């Protein structure tokens, strides 16, 4: 688990219940603000090699001092892609290996993200959770377009097919339909979640949000609870979650938030008790200064003036 003045972060990864190997990788580098989830494709050895290669190359590339972060992110993913391609071309056992990944890099108060495939990036802020990345898959595309609801997409037999990956062909940084780029403000009271499809295919977005909103300062607990939830739902695939909470983020269902609500409620009750209830004098004062009272005053004054003129 990583802790900085600006955020708390943690990664958790598990093979799941049906597999012995783990082709996923979760990576946290708080010093450089790098957060990454990689899901290997291509069989046991090949998938693990692709994921490990992507992690190593991206981490190395992003540590190079360059001013344009957006270009650095795109170039790092492209470098990982071409290294995987070269390794597969040189080794028969690795032919066809590739991976999908989601990368987020913090810089001051913003996040620059690069994404390829069906792993995901979520933003949690102000009581809501929003998916920021698109699923580069036939089923994910239909879900994003509203043609399938979440449950239909999660249960679809073609759920694991992807039409974008890292490593199956050589790429250039400027290639279209390769790296999906996102850039957004990261507020101190926000959080982000990166995850592989081993989580999002088994745990609904509402359930994910419910776990995240129990955050009480322990990012590692959130990451582990998300992985545990996927395993409890069947654990059909490798599962990885990387959670990053801003320094002021408090889960809406956390003990800290419940305590804050209780304190607020007590404060309101004390203020109400300290304010004296309006007595007879107070009620009489309101009656004497009401609009109806002034109408009566005007009528009486008119009558008295009339009597005075008459006499």
């Amino acid at each position: 688990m990583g802790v900085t003045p600006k955020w708390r972060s943690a990664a958790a990864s598990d093979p799941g219940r049906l597999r012995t190997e783990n082709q996923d990788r979760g990576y946290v580098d708080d010093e450089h603000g790098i957060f990454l989830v990689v899901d290997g494709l291509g069989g046991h050895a090949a998938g693990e090699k692709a994921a490990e290669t992507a992690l190593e190359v991206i981490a190395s590339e992003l540590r190079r001092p360059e001013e344009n972060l957006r270009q650095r992110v795109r170039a790092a993913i492209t470098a990982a892609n071409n290294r995987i391609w070269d390794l597969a071309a040189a080794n028969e056992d690795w032919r066809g290996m590739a991976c999908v990944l989601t990368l987020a890099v913090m810089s001051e108060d913003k996040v620059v993200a690069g994404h390829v495939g069906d792993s995901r990036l979520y933003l949690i802020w102000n009581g809501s959770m929003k998916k920021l990345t698109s699923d580069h898959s036939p089923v994910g595309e239909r879900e994003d377009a509203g043609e399938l609801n979440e449950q239909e997409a999660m249960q679809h037999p073609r759920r694991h097919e992807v039409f974008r990956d890292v490593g199956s062909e050589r790429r250039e940084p400027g290639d279209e339909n390769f790296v999906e780029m996102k850039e957004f403000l990261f507020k101190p009271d926000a959080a982000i979640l990166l995850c592989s499809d081993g989580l999002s295919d088994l745990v609904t977005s509402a359930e994910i949000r419910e776990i995240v909103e129990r955050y009480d300062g322990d990012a590692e607990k959130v990451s582990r609870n998300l992985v545990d939830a996927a395993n409890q739902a069947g654990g059909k695939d490798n599962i990885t979650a990387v959670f990053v909470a801003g320094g002021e983020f408090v889960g809406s269902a956390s003990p800290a938030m419940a305590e804050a609500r209780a304190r607020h409620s007590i404060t309101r009750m004390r203020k109400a008790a300290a304010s004296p209830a309006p007595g007879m004098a107070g009620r009489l004062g309101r009656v004497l200064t009401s609009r109806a009272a002034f109408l009566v005053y005007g009528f009486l004054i008119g009558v008295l003036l009339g009597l005075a003129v008459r006499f």
Side-chain angles (χ1 to χ4, degrees):
M1 182 175 70
V3 180
T4 75
K6 292 186 176 181
W7 63 73
R8 294 173 182 264
S9 66
S13 190
D14 192 84
R17 290 188 169 184
L18 303 184
R19 301 187 181 187
T20 56
E21 78 282 356
N22 192 353
Q23 299 177 30
D24 278 8
R25 294 293 184 273
Y27 179 74
V28 168
D29 179 351
D30 288 299
E31 180 181 355
H32 298 92
I34 302 169
F35 307 97
L36 174 66
V37 164
V38 189
D39 182 356
L41 310 172
H44 171 31
E48 285 192 273
K49 183 63 178 177
E52 195 64 35
T53 300
L55 190 157
E56 292 174 356
V57 172
I58 288 172
S60 175
E61 290 288 324
L62 285 175
R63 293 191 186 109
R64 296 181 179 181
E66 294 182 19
E67 290 187 3
N68 192 313
L69 182 55
R70 192 179 183 91
Q71 291 180 3
R72 283 171 57 203
V73 167
R74 188 183 289 275
I77 295 174
T78 304
N81 179 93
N82 293 340
R83 179 75 62 82
I84 293 169
W85 170 258
D86 290 341
L87 289 172
N91 189 321
E92 185 68 31
D93 293 337
W94 293 338
R95 294 286 169 86
M97 73 175 179
C99 64
V100 296
L101 60 83
T102 302
L103 167 67
V105 183
M106 300 279 195
S107 178
E108 299 299 331
D109 60 349
K110 72 176 181 179
V111 176
V112 175
H115 165 72
V116 182
D118 60 356
S119 46
R120 290 183 174 183
L121 171 63
Y122 293 96
L123 173 65
I124 305 97
W125 181 70
N126 199 27
S128 66
M129 185 175 79
K130 181 180 181 180
K131 183 168 76 80
L132 299 183
T133 51
S134 303
D135 290 351
H136 300 145
S137 68
V139 173
E141 196 172 52
R142 292 182 63 193
E143 181 184 0
D144 289 341
E147 297 175 11
L148 298 173
N149 63 37
E150 184 178 37
Q151 287 292 343
E152 291 170 335
M154 291 171 72
Q155 297 167 6
H156 200 285
R158 298 182 62 192
R159 179 68 186 177
H160 298 288
E161 297 179 19
V162 294
F163 51 69
R164 287 196 206 183
D165 63 50
V166 176
S168 65
E169 60 180 288
R170 289 198 67 84
R171 293 284 194 174
E172 296 295 330
D175 285 356
E176 294 184 7
N177 299 320
F178 178 39
V179 181
E180 177 185 337
M181 298 296 301
K182 296 289 182 180
E183 188 171 330
F184 57 94
L185 184 67
F186 184 70
K187 298 184 178 182
D189 58 347
I192 59 171
L193 170 67
L194 298 82
C195 67
S196 64
D197 64 344
L199 175 64
S200 57
D201 278 356
L202 292 176
V203 184
T204 67
S205 56
E207 292 167 335
I208 291 173
R209 177 176 170 269
E210 182 181 349
I211 293 170
V212 169
E213 291 290 1
R214 294 202 295 265
Y215 170 76
D216 59 359
D218 190 342
E220 188 171 2
K221 186 199 297 186
V222 170
S223 297
R224 176 48 55 188
N225 286 346
L226 289 167
V227 169
D228 289 345
N231 274 324
Q232 290 167 10
K236 297 178 182 179
D237 199 355
N238 302 155
I239 312 148
T240 299
V242 172
F243 179 68
V244 187
E248 298 176 14
F249 178 78
V250 179
S252 62
S254 68
M257 183 60 76
E259 183 180 342
R261 290 194 186 104
R263 285 199 306 269
H264 180 64
S265 177
I266 291 171
T267 301
R268 291 180 62 187
M269 291 173 64
R270 285 175 176 170
K271 287 181 178 179
S275 300
M280 180 63 70
R283 289 195 293 271
L284 181 58
R286 285 200 299 272
V287 170
L288 294 176
T289 57
S290 67
R291 183 179 177 185
F294 282 110
L295 290 174
V296 172
Y297 301 156
F299 173 75
L300 291 175
I301 291 170
V303 170
L304 290 173
L305 287 173
L307 290 173
V309 170
R310 180 178 299 178
F311 294 103

